[in-house]
């Protein structure tokens, strides 16, 4: 079981659920007939059989010594909050303290650590049925902590050496790609020995990406995709258990600014750098503007310490938030970009839409929003993520072509360009390369401005590191000139485009690639 898995325990003897009343802060009882959030616990994995149990309000179950009653009062985990879980094939478990005693249900519906000896599966007082409620997190944290440091290091090394190679940059160059958006996690600043459980190698991979990009006249955007504590509770921000701790911790915010300083100081003078995105997808419901705007302002100034020309990109909050709020925040007027993410998914609004409905929505609603923001006399507009996928289950190839054409025509109007999510994926319509090769997405002659996401390091555990959205990078390159597929050297054919007075070289072809993305917004 991985970090963040949500579980419930029901006593076999009483058929009552283990409950942390009010979500924690007091004792634990076994007295609920129906399970809800108080009866749901998030796992923090210590080993394959050892876990800490976190309540819905962030407390940890604890028991200090033989015979104690279990409480949900610990604010942070320690050895006294580690439980050993034994499972059989019938979803039944025994739970014990790592110091020895097994838990059982006793008089008064209490949960105590005083079962005498080792219970059998017919010993009802110490036997519980465990139900897995959710197992939705399969990010960097789950991968590294699930495999363990040694094995995770080998798995990631193999993945990084093979999933994205220099050939992918050749592919991008030959089709006219001008920029890759490369998401990274905060632990990159501590490479090669990042904090547990994260695995080193990110920085070398990012360096290689810059080398490859430079060889093929491609620019790079570094996107801070995962902040300490998580800015949105999603797997692609490396949340351990789905909680969002970043906005409530000044220490996390300060550490994030240190990461921006590290990235800006390292890459500001690199000829392949186009910009730095300060934070991907902060949560609208959990990250208040009074936290986000000062962070964006400080992050902007940090980048400006090292570069007067690099674009600073600020991402809209995801959820119920209007990106115009960032135009009103008065962050800066020089080389500032607002990143919008457009998906016709992840909202019940799109569920019953037909092909025509989806296309009309793009042409009317999204086109109007982009036009309004382009005219707002503020930051440039960047459609930083979109995908040629939707909720239409009976769509034909022609339907996909029409939907993709509509998105390209509208998103081309964004003053800073757009980026497709993602390059490579186990779900074919999220895989840009598959879409192009199989003629489901037709770039045509209208795509004059393109910025593409390029993922290399975040992976999905269940696909053994062949997909997933977040950190992404390539390998090493010493090539002085790009090569065609036949091995012959090519002379780069470059034509400039102008983005609000700034000339950016763009190779004269068209297409993208990206790794990862599990069919989730990221």
């Amino acid at each position: 079981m991985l970090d963040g898995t949500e579980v419930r325990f029901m006593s076999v003897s009483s058929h009552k659920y283990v409950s942390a009343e009010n979500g924690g802060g007091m004792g634990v009882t076994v007295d609920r007939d129906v399970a809800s959030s108080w009866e749901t616990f998030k796992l923090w994995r210590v080993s394959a059989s050892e876990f800490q149990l976190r309540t819905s309000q962030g407390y940890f179950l604890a028991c200090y010594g033989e015979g104690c009653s279990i409480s949900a009062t610990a604010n942070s985990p320690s050895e006294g909050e580690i439980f050993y879980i034994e499972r059989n094939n019938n979803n039944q478990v025994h739970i014990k303290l790592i110091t020895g005693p097994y838990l059982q249900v006793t008089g008064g519906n209490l949960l105590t650590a005083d079962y005498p000896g080792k219970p059998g599966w017919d010993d009802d007082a110490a036997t519980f049925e465990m139900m897995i409620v959710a197992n939705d997190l399969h990010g960097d944290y789950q991968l590294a902590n699930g495999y363990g440091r040694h094995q995770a290091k080998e798995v990631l090394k193999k993945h990084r050496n093979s999933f994205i190679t220099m050939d992918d940059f050749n592919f991008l160059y030959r089709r006219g790609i001008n920029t890759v958006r490369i998401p990274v996690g905060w632990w990159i600043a501590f490479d090669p020995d990042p904090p547990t459980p994260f695995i080193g190698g990110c920085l070398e991979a990012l360096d290689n990406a810059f080398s490859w990009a430079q060889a093929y006249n491609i620019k790079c955007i570094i996107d801070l995709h995962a902040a300490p504590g998580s800015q949105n509770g999603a797997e692609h921000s490396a949340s351990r258990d789905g909680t969002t701790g970043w906005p409530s911790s000044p220490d996390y915010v300060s550490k994030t600014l240190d990461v921006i300083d590290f990235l800006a100081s390292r890459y500001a003078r690199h000829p392949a750098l186009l910009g730095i995105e300060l934070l991907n997808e902060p949560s609208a419901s959990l990250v208040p503007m009074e936290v986000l705007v000062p962070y964006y302002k400080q992050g902007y100034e940090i980048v400006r310490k090292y570069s007067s020309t690099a674009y600073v990109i600020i991402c809209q909050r995801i959820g119920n938030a209007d990106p115009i709020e960032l135009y009103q925040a008065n962050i800066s007027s020089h080389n500032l970009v607002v990143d919008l993410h457009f998906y016709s998914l992840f909202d019940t609004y799109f569920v019953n839409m037909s092909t025509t409905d989806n296309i009309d929505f793009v042409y009317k609603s999204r086109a109007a929003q982009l036009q309004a923001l382009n005219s707002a006399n503020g930051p440039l507009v960047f459609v930083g993520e979109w995908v040629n996928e939707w909720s239409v289950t009976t769509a034909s190839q022609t339907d996909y072509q029409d939907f993709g054409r509509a998105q390209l025509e509208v998103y081309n109007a964004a003053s800073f360009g757009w980026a497709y999510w993602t390059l490579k994926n186990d779900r074919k319509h999220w895989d840009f390369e598959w879409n192009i090769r199989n003629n489901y997405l037709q770039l045509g002659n209208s795509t004059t401005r393109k910025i593409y996401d390029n993922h290399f390091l975040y992976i999905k555990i269940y696909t053994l590191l062949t997909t997933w959205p977040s950190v992404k990078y390539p390998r090493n390159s010493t090539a002085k000139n790009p090569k065609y597929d036949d091995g012959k050297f090519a002379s780069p054919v470059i034509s400039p485009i102008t983005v609000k007075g700034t000339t950016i070289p763009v190779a004269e072809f068209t297409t993208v690639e990206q790794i990862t993305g599990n069919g989730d917004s990221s």
Side-chain angles (χ1 to χ4, degrees):
M1 295 183 291
L2 301 175
D3 288 278
T5 300
E6 297 182 20
V7 299
R8 291 170 179 162
F9 302 100
M10 184 178 70
S11 168
V12 170
S13 60
S14 67
H15 299 287
K16 304 284 188 181
Y17 287 94
V18 176
S19 176
E21 190 168 353
N22 296 321
M26 52 199 310
V28 172
T29 58
V30 189
D31 60 356
R32 298 288 174 170
D33 295 316
V34 178
S36 63
S37 62
W38 294 358
E39 292 73 48
T40 303
F41 303 93
K42 296 179 179 180
L43 299 182
W44 278 31
R45 180 186 173 106
V46 177
S47 70
S49 300
E50 295 174 327
F51 301 90
Q52 290 152 335
L53 301 171
R54 197 178 194 192
T55 71
S56 59
Q57 293 300 314
Y59 294 94
F60 290 88
L61 299 197
C63 186
Y64 305 102
E66 184 173 352
C68 64
S69 294
I70 307 300
S71 65
T73 55
N75 291 308
S76 59
S78 63
E79 186 172 299
E81 290 81 47
I82 298 177
F83 297 89
Y84 186 89
I85 298 179
E86 300 174 346
R87 305 170 69 184
N88 67 10
N89 294 327
N90 297 318
N91 295 321
Q92 293 180 330
V93 298
H94 294 145
I95 308 171
K96 64 183 295 244
L97 300 180
I98 59 169
T99 53
Y102 284 85
L103 309 191
Q104 67 170 336
V105 181
T106 56
N109 295 321
L110 297 178
L111 187 62
T112 58
D114 58 358
Y115 185 87
K118 181 177 176 60
W121 295 109
D122 56 350
D123 293 318
D124 291 350
T127 302
F128 301 85
E129 180 181 349
M130 184 178 71
M131 290 148 277
I132 295 179
V133 180
N135 180 19
D136 300 329
L137 299 177
H138 305 99
D140 284 74
Y141 200 103
Q142 287 73 25
L143 182 145
N145 208 35
Y147 274 115
R149 193 167 188 84
H150 177 73
Q151 189 176 0
K153 185 176 181 179
E154 294 303 312
V155 169
L156 281 169
K157 181 179 179 180
K158 181 179 179 180
H159 174 71
R160 291 169 181 158
N161 286 340
S162 60
F163 193 58
I164 296 294
T165 70
M166 190 173 185
D167 289 342
D168 294 299
F169 279 76
N170 179 32
F171 178 90
L172 296 175
Y173 166 76
R174 287 167 57 81
R175 289 158 177 83
I177 307 316
N178 70 344
T179 302
V180 291
R181 176 178 180 250
I182 308 176
V184 301
W186 62 270
W187 54 94
I188 193 172
F190 300 86
D191 218 80
D193 297 307
T196 302
F198 299 108
I199 306 301
C202 302
L203 191 58
E204 178 187 2
L206 184 57
D207 286 345
N208 291 333
F210 269 76
S211 296
W212 289 352
Q214 184 179 3
Y216 285 99
N217 298 292
I218 292 172
K219 296 293 185 180
C220 296
I221 291 172
I222 305 173
D223 156 39
L224 186 60
H225 217 75
S230 177
Q231 71 276 17
N232 53 36
E235 60 183 4
H236 54 74
S237 63
S239 177
R240 182 170 190 173
D241 64 5
T243 57
T244 303
W246 183 80
S248 59
S249 169
D251 182 60
Y252 283 156
V253 174
S254 177
K255 185 181 291 185
T256 309
L257 292 168
D258 291 341
V259 175
I260 296 299
D261 191 285
F262 170 82
L263 293 169
S265 64
R266 186 179 183 89
Y267 295 102
R269 294 179 177 82
H270 198 292
L273 179 70
L274 179 64
I276 295 176
E277 185 159 0
L278 300 179
L279 191 65
N280 178 71
E281 292 187 345
S283 167
S285 61
L286 297 173
V287 180
M289 288 292 283
E290 52 265 32
V291 173
L292 187 62
V293 170
Y295 167 75
Y296 277 162
K297 288 182 176 180
Q298 292 176 74
Y300 179 91
E301 294 302 327
I302 288 172
V303 175
R304 287 287 165 260
K305 274 198 315 183
Y306 301 100
S307 173
S308 61
T309 58
Y311 288 92
V312 179
I313 303 169
I314 56 176
C315 189
Q316 72 168 112
R317 297 190 296 168
I318 56 169
N320 187 20
D322 191 328
I324 198 66
E325 66 187 9
L326 294 178
Y327 286 75
Q328 299 167 345
N330 194 30
I331 293 171
S332 177
S333 59
H334 176 63
N335 282 7
L336 185 69
V337 179
V338 170
D339 178 7
L340 317 178
H341 295 175
F342 285 159
Y343 291 100
S344 296
L345 296 159
F346 314 121
D347 192 306
T348 55
Y349 181 83
F350 299 103
V351 170
N352 295 316
M353 276 191 175
S354 66
T355 296
T356 301
D357 293 336
N358 274 279
I359 292 173
D360 286 347
F361 180 81
V362 172
Y363 276 127
K364 295 177 182 178
S365 180
R366 286 189 170 145
Q369 184 179 30
L370 286 175
Q371 183 179 9
L373 295 177
N374 279 333
S375 304
N377 193 30
L380 298 173
V381 183
F382 178 34
V383 181
E385 292 182 18
W386 67 278
V387 66
N388 199 36
E389 183 61 297
W390 47 8
S391 298
V392 181
T393 58
T394 58
S396 66
Q397 182 178 21
T398 300
D399 292 335
Y400 273 100
Q401 291 171 346
D402 292 343
F403 184 50
R405 185 180 302 111
Q407 293 190 90
L408 286 168
E409 290 180 5
V410 170
Y411 304 161
N412 278 339
S415 54
F416 192 71
W418 51 262
Y420 191 92
W421 188 275
T422 72
L423 175 63
K424 292 181 178 178
N425 200 302
D426 62 333
R427 300 185 184 188
K428 58 189 180 183
H429 293 293
W430 291 79
D431 186 313
F432 190 93
E433 180 180 0
W434 182 93
N435 276 273
I436 298 303
R437 296 190 188 281
N438 291 278
N439 201 32
Y440 274 73
L441 183 62
Q442 300 171 316
L443 296 180
N445 297 320
S446 65
T447 52
T448 58
R449 184 183 295 117
K450 302 166 287 296
I451 297 178
Y452 299 96
D453 269 7
N454 193 0
H455 298 334
F456 299 90
L457 167 45
Y458 279 25
I459 32 274
K460 273 272 191 208
I461 293 173
Y462 65 76
T463 52
L464 290 183
L465 315 184
T466 58
T467 66
W468 207 80
S470 242
V471 193
K472 317 58 179 165
Y473 332 97
R475 287 262 58 97
N476 252 328
S477 165
T478 57
K480 301 298 182 184
N481 296 289
K483 286 186 178 182
Y484 285 126
D485 292 341
D486 60 6
K488 297 179 181 179
F489 285 100
S491 299
V493 181
I494 304 295
S495 68
I497 62 172
T498 300
V499 179
K500 290 241 177 165
T502 302
T503 299
I504 301 175
V506 183
E508 290 181 342
F509 300 100
T510 349
T511 293
V512 198
E513 275 194 320
Q514 177 172 353
I515 126 176
T516 273
N518 58 342
D520 298 336
S521 164
S522 53

